[in-house]
Amino acid sequence: MRNCKRLRKATSAVSPAGTGTRRSSPPTRTLPTTVRKPSPTGLSSAANAAPRLKAAQAGISQAEGLARQAGARLNPIVSIESENFSGNGPYKGTQLTETMASVGQTLELGGKRSARINAGRAGVELSRARARQTEGDFAFDLAEAYGAAEVADLRVQLATEALSLAEDDARVAHALVKAGKEADLRSLQAQTAIETARAELGEAQAARDTAFSKLTAIVDSPVAFSSIPDSLLAHADTAETIPVVDPLASPAYLVALAEREEVARRVKVEQTRATPDVTLSLGVRKFQADDAQALVGGVSVPFPVFDRNKGNIAAVSSELIAAEQNLNIARLDAQADIQSASARLKASFARIKSAQDSERTAQEAYRLTRIGYESGKLPLSEVLIARRTLTEARAQALTARQDRLNAEAELAHLAGTTPFGDL
């Protein structure tokens, strides 16, 4: 699959807020390095980057091993028999011993071997479909975690700016109090606003550390990530397009389709087992007393009186019915998820515009309120309200952009493609 945004540490290490420690730079990664164009086995050679991808690759290897074993033929039976030796009377000793060496081969009838081979191949295709689904889930989770880490990082910046604004307002309030133009209460109100902004910054820093920890865990990086050098959120400012997604291309639907095919192949396997096999044998018997040899041949066939494999056939046939219904469920779920994600993506376009307009309005309102307060025309409470409105407007604009990213990532996931693979 196509490469996406870089997931790497910036050149200078960034310390987590409040820890005073520095983090080492993680290796350069792309979003996602481990999710590229699938190889014939369903996963790229970089699949060892995440445990869940390694597990999926192991599932493919297991299915391929079972498929190879399904094509194995039955081994021949070699036997040696001796009789009429070490007895009493005329059979005492080995003079009348008769020895027979023979080779027997069971012939599978009714298409048993070909049915097993087809079932094995269907099992391989199923494991590959599941691996591709796992790969898609991993790509979606990685994109979502990357976006969440970027948003958390920006929220720290917004909280830092909010704290800076609160401190600026407090300096103005202290100056007015010192000049006798405001009551001492205004200084206390301004200081309270600073403490509130400082607490919100601490919460934002904790949320950022949590988001980066999740991102590190998803990519299984030995070194923690602590910064976002490239922006996915910039994609939220691009053209407003809603991709058309075919529900029949959904990884979940394709897995259900492969499951149905695999079960159908197993139905055929169980049906062929009802046909008896034939065992042919050919050997040589040596007569010790006459110093002579003779050929011995035989045919054996089980007589299917008690076991005609009806129970297994009925069981796997019922499993096939369930697989058919699961396929329909997967199709309906894919349709519903696509419609839901498309609706949320469309709604996010309007939300982003509205949130950005509100942010610009709140910015201007805060600027004018601040001028009015400094000139003594407005009380401090108006400044506090305007600043809080600006902070909330900025947060809402960021949330709207994040919602667009998540909706686009989900649609890509449902289409079986890498989220933001064209970036």
Side-chain angles (χ1 to χ4, degrees):
M1 294 183 181
R2 292 172 291 179
N3 292 338
C4 307
K5 303 300 288 182
R6 294 282 181 182
L7 280 180
R8 71 175 185 274
K9 180 73 165 58
T11 303
S12 59
V14 179
S15 300
T19 62
T21 60
R22 294 172 65 85
R23 294 179 177 178
S24 301
S25 299
T28 299
R29 300 178 186 270
T30 59
L31 174 61
T33 300
T34 53
V35 181
R36 299 184 185 275
K37 184 176 181 179
S39 64
T41 58
L43 290 177
S44 65
S45 59
N48 58 0
R52 73 174 91 174
L53 298 185
K54 289 194 289 186
Q57 183 62 59
I60 294 177
S61 299
Q62 178 191 22
E64 290 174 341
L66 294 175
R68 287 194 300 270
Q69 184 61 36
R73 299 181 183 275
L74 298 179
N75 291 322
I77 300 174
V78 178
S79 64
I80 298 177
E81 298 179 4
S82 293
E83 59 183 31
N84 301 336
F85 66 93
S86 297
N88 296 321
Y91 298 104
K92 186 176 181 180
T94 60
Q95 294 180 353
L96 299 179
T97 299
E98 295 181 8
T99 302
M100 183 180 69
S102 65
V103 177
Q105 178 64 56
T106 299
L107 303 180
E108 293 184 292
L109 303 180
K112 291 184 179 65
R113 181 170 177 270
S114 62
R116 288 200 312 271
I117 292 175
N118 291 334
R121 291 172 180 170
V124 172
E125 292 303 317
L126 173 58
S127 66
R128 289 175 178 172
R130 287 172 173 168
R132 286 189 289 269
Q133 184 182 32
T134 299
E135 191 175 53
D137 293 343
F138 175 75
F140 172 75
D141 291 344
L142 182 56
E144 192 176 48
Y146 189 97
E150 182 183 359
V151 168
D153 198 41
L154 290 176
R155 290 191 186 281
V156 170
Q157 296 179 26
L158 293 180
T160 302
E161 293 175 4
L163 176 59
S164 178
L165 292 177
E167 290 173 342
D168 289 343
D169 292 342
R171 281 192 291 269
V172 173
H174 293 329
L176 293 176
V177 170
K178 188 175 181 181
K181 296 181 179 180
E182 283 280 16
D184 292 342
L185 177 61
R186 303 310 180 199
S187 294
L188 295 178
Q189 289 177 330
Q191 188 62 37
T192 300
I194 290 177
E195 297 303 326
T196 300
R198 186 173 287 118
E200 292 175 349
L201 175 59
E203 293 178 0
Q205 289 170 337
R208 181 187 63 179
D209 289 343
T210 300
F212 277 109
S213 297
K214 183 177 180 179
L215 177 61
T216 302
I218 286 178
V219 299
D220 193 27
S221 173
V223 183
F225 290 95
S226 60
S227 69
I228 296 295
D230 299 304
S231 174
L232 272 184
L233 282 178
H235 186 65
D237 300 325
T238 57
E240 299 177 354
T241 57
I242 300 178
V244 178
V245 180
D246 183 4
L248 301 186
S250 169
Y253 177 83
L254 295 178
V255 167
L257 183 63
E259 288 177 344
R260 185 195 63 178
E261 182 64 20
E262 191 269 343
V263 175
R265 297 294 184 180
R266 286 196 285 114
V267 170
K268 183 63 177 177
V269 170
E270 296 300 334
Q271 289 173 342
T272 59
R273 286 178 179 173
T275 302
D277 295 331
V278 175
T279 300
L280 304 179
S281 62
L282 180 64
V284 177
R285 183 183 293 274
K286 181 177 182 180
F287 300 92
Q288 190 71 24
D290 299 329
D291 192 21
Q293 297 179 352
L295 292 176
V296 178
V299 177
S300 63
V301 181
F303 192 53
V305 176
F306 303 110
D307 184 8
R308 297 181 64 89
N309 205 37
K310 291 183 177 180
N312 288 335
I313 294 174
V316 74
S317 296
S318 297
E319 188 177 351
L320 178 59
I321 295 174
E324 291 280 0
Q325 298 307 311
N326 289 335
L327 181 61
N328 291 330
I329 292 173
R331 176 179 57 82
L332 295 174
D333 286 346
Q335 290 176 345
D337 291 341
I338 291 170
Q339 291 174 357
S340 175
S342 298
R344 286 190 287 108
L345 178 59
K346 183 178 180 180
S348 70
F349 298 154
R351 285 187 60 199
I352 289 175
K353 288 183 178 180
S354 176
Q356 290 174 343
D357 291 342
S358 297
E359 182 180 357
R360 286 190 291 267
T361 301
Q363 178 71 45
E364 180 64 14
Y366 174 70
R367 186 184 70 84
L368 295 176
T369 304
R370 178 73 178 271
I371 293 175
Y373 175 65
E374 292 178 359
S375 62
K377 296 179 180 180
L378 293 175
L380 178 62
S381 59
E382 293 293 335
V383 177
L384 299 180
I385 293 174
R387 189 176 68 244
R388 171 58 60 182
T389 301
L390 175 60
T391 300
E392 293 176 351
R394 287 176 172 176
Q396 290 174 0
L398 187 57
T399 299
R401 297 168 70 196
Q402 183 182 17
D403 289 343
R404 169 172 174 166
L405 284 184
N406 291 340
E408 287 192 348
E410 185 175 356
L411 280 175
H413 183 213
L414 292 169
T417 59
T418 304
F420 317 111
D422 55 344
L423 301 183

